[in-house]
Amino acid sequence: MDILADPLRDSINPPPRYQLESDSEDEIGGGIYGSTKIPKPSSPSPPTAFKLDGHIDDLIGRPTVIGIGTAGSQFGRGLPALVDSQGASIEMGEYQIGTAYCISASQLYIHISSKIPSPVLWSLSRWLSNTFKPTRLAIIDVYPVPAYITPFSVSHLSPPIRYLGTSTPGLALSSNQPKRISSIEPFSPPNLLGTQTLSSALLPYTQVCLLSGNSSLKEEAVLMLLPWPRISVPAPKNLDEVTLHEGLTSPEHNIWSAEELAAIADAVGMQGVSFSSQERVSQRAKRANVARD
């Protein structure tokens, strides 16, 4: 009787060794037993070093807005102070991944311009929090409209801005009130932020710090999400010249209208911004072109 073909044989455990004829296929490393080699543990990657190249004394302990990727680039062009300010560069190893700007005596704007490798998203979130010690935090990023689940029909050409915030017992509500603006809606379950960008780690890290009492924030943090017309490019595993700006559109592209950016500015409490000089021609056509790229 062929033991291996016996339908009554235990399908989970292999038959006893003595019931099988020994041949080259059944030796250790072959046949039904497979390989017994123990995989070598992967060597841990060296710790990632972040540094700030520039004056930092004026950048610590302020209300802070962090703009990520294309959303941060287009929003930042509406800040007059960025025109004359060189800012302090944020570096990861040998690459510049962002810039910190002192907008006014009471505001800080940080633009993270690069796609951050997924293994260092949490450590970068911790470094940003410990380095700048923001008293109020707002994050600007995007959400992929094609992947967003909603019980209502939403046009892909005019989707809403969405927001998500921390929730900490005993902490004052943020002075930024996106729910008061009709064009901004909550980022609701079952949708998830995923692991594509820095915001997917920065907001949860901020929530952990708030709950543990180890945070410089005086009120809740908020994440503002502009509609993005396509699925986001996954975060790279490593940072190099090829992946430095992978998935980011040209900084000259105006994907969102001046009204949308102004609504974001109002929601995050950013003052002294002007988007009237940005091109406002057919945002629907531009989103359609981006979705096709």
Side-chain angles (χ1 to χ4, degrees):
M1 178 179 178
D2 187 357
I3 297 175
L4 295 179
D6 183 4
L8 301 178
R9 182 180 65 87
D10 187 348
S11 59
I12 299 178
N13 300 316
R17 181 75 176 183
Y18 66 84
Q19 293 186 12
L20 299 174
E21 294 183 4
S22 177
D23 56 35
S24 60
E25 291 185 355
D26 290 328
E27 295 301 327
I28 295 178
I32 63 173
Y33 290 99
S35 175
T36 59
K37 294 181 179 180
I38 301 176
K40 295 181 179 180
S42 57
S43 57
S45 57
T48 304
F50 303 102
K51 66 178 182 179
L52 191 63
D53 186 6
H55 299 290
I56 64 172
D57 293 341
D58 296 335
L59 304 177
I60 297 176
R62 295 173 180 239
T64 301
V65 176
I66 300 179
I68 299 174
T70 304
S73 175
Q74 188 175 342
F75 182 84
R77 292 201 301 276
L79 305 177
L82 267 64
V83 177
D84 301 322
S85 175
Q86 296 296 325
S89 64
I90 300 173
E91 300 176 358
M92 172 181 161
E94 59 182 310
Y95 300 106
Q96 179 177 350
I97 60 173
T99 309
Y101 300 94
C102 183
I103 300 302
S104 67
S106 60
Q107 290 180 314
L108 174 67
Y109 182 70
I110 299 174
H111 178 217
I112 301 298
S113 56
S114 303
K115 292 286 288 185
I116 306 302
S118 52
V120 300
L121 290 174
W122 192 261
S123 58
L124 178 56
S125 300
R126 180 172 57 247
W127 181 85
L128 289 171
S129 178
N130 294 339
T131 300
F132 295 102
K133 296 179 172 52
T135 56
R136 188 176 71 225
L137 179 63
I139 309 165
I140 303 174
D141 203 354
V142 301
Y143 73 95
V145 175
Y148 190 84
I149 302 173
T150 174
F152 308 104
S153 177
V154 177
S155 171
H156 285 191
L157 296 180
S158 57
I161 301 170
R162 300 187 184 275
Y163 75 95
L164 187 63
T166 58
S167 178
T168 311
L171 190 66
L173 292 176
S174 174
S175 57
N176 310 321
Q177 295 292 337
K179 63 181 65 178
R180 295 181 181 176
I181 302 175
S182 60
S183 59
I184 299 180
E185 300 180 7
F187 186 86
S188 305
N191 297 281
L192 301 174
L193 290 177
T195 57
Q196 309 298 331
T197 67
L198 178 62
S199 63
S200 64
L202 185 54
L203 189 68
Y205 178 80
T206 302
Q207 178 71 84
V208 170
C209 291
L210 287 171
L211 292 175
S212 64
N214 186 27
S215 175
S216 58
L217 294 180
K218 305 302 181 184
E219 53 189 55
E220 301 285 6
V222 63
L223 168 62
M224 307 302 302
L225 296 165
L226 284 161
W228 186 247
R230 60 187 177 192
I231 303 298
S232 301
V233 176
K237 293 183 179 180
N238 300 293
L239 188 63
D240 53 36
E241 292 292 347
V242 177
T243 62
L244 192 61
H245 301 289
E246 182 180 5
L248 302 180
T249 65
S250 169
E252 286 75 25
H253 289 174
N254 290 335
I255 307 300
W256 300 280
S257 67
E259 290 83 359
E260 289 174 305
L261 298 176
I264 290 285
D266 291 340
V268 302
M270 182 65 77
Q271 302 174 355
V273 296
S274 175
F275 303 102
S276 59
S277 61
Q278 297 196 26
E279 185 180 359
R280 301 170 61 179
V281 178
S282 186
Q283 296 298 325
R284 292 188 177 185
K286 290 184 178 183
R287 285 178 183 163
N289 291 335
V290 170
R292 287 195 296 266
D293 290 344

